[in-house]
Amino acid sequence: MIVYATKVTLKKTVIGLLALAAVVWGITALAPRAVQTVSAEAGAASLSQKLKTNGERVDYLRAYGWEVQDTPTVEMEVQVPKEFDDAYTAYNQMQQKQGLDLEKYKGKRAMLYTYTLASYPGGKEGVTASLLLYKDKVIAADISAPEADGFTHGITEIPAES
């Protein structure tokens, strides 16, 4: 039996998140899915709202049609990279399509909140909703399945039932 231990640092966490985003982006690019876009009138006036409490974050996701568990599975401070690699550039392009932009937050520390979805169209399990907030303001939001054949898309997109 081989045991490997490492100290989790912010740098390793950010690198891990970027690697995960690159894998998910690559898979998503290879297997696009049909999606519907939810209008902003679905409940939230603006994607870049200020969300100070957990209840506000949960209500925000629900306003876009996502039923999430009430408690986040991840709640941690992360740093937006000062320079975007290809994966982060693609992720930011996805954010721009839904009216958000990470460009002006390069190098800034932000809070990441990840919630498990109660259900996802097609019955896929383990799907999460993530919100990245800078000074309580939403700067990025996505829905993703982190496994190898997973996906990432904006919170304004609801996939067609398959």
Side-chain angles (χ1 to χ4, degrees):
M1 182 168 129
I2 298 173
V3 177
Y4 178 76
T6 184
K7 181 178 178 185
V8 178
T9 64
L10 182 60
K11 183 177 179 180
K12 288 179 184 177
T13 302
V14 170
I15 289 170
L17 287 172
L18 289 175
L20 177 63
V23 169
V24 171
W25 176 79
I27 292 168
T28 303
L30 294 174
R33 292 174 170 72
V35 295
Q36 301 170 351
T37 301
V38 176
S39 72
E41 296 152 275
S46 167
L47 271 171
S48 62
Q49 292 185 29
K50 283 225 174 209
L51 306 173
K52 294 183 180 189
T53 67
N54 183 62
E56 288 175 341
R57 291 188 295 273
V58 170
D59 289 345
Y60 176 84
L61 291 166
R62 289 180 178 159
Y64 281 96
W66 301 106
E67 191 58 41
V68 297
Q69 294 183 2
D70 291 335
T71 305
T73 55
V74 174
E75 186 174 340
M76 67 180 192
E77 186 177 70
V78 296
Q79 184 169 0
V80 177
K82 290 180 182 178
E83 297 295 325
F84 289 174
D85 62 6
D86 291 342
Y88 230 99
T89 298
Y91 182 76
N92 194 40
Q93 287 172 348
M94 178 188 69
Q95 295 304 323
Q96 290 170 335
K97 286 180 185 175
Q98 63 182 6
L100 300 171
D101 191 355
L102 290 168
E103 281 291 328
K104 61 183 173 185
Y105 301 100
K106 286 182 172 182
K108 304 282 186 191
R109 293 190 181 278
M111 285 300 295
L112 174 67
Y113 299 93
T114 302
Y115 296 85
T116 301
L117 293 183
S119 65
Y120 187 81
K124 186 139 182 90
E125 294 186 15
V127 181
T128 61
S130 295
L131 298 173
L132 187 62
L133 280 68
Y134 177 74
K135 295 185 179 179
D136 296 326
K137 179 182 175 186
V138 178
I139 61 172
D142 67 74
I143 304 296
S144 62
E147 64 272 357
D149 65 339
F151 56 83
T152 300
H153 61 77
I155 66 167
T156 61
E157 301 170 0
I158 298 184
E161 292 285 339
S162 49

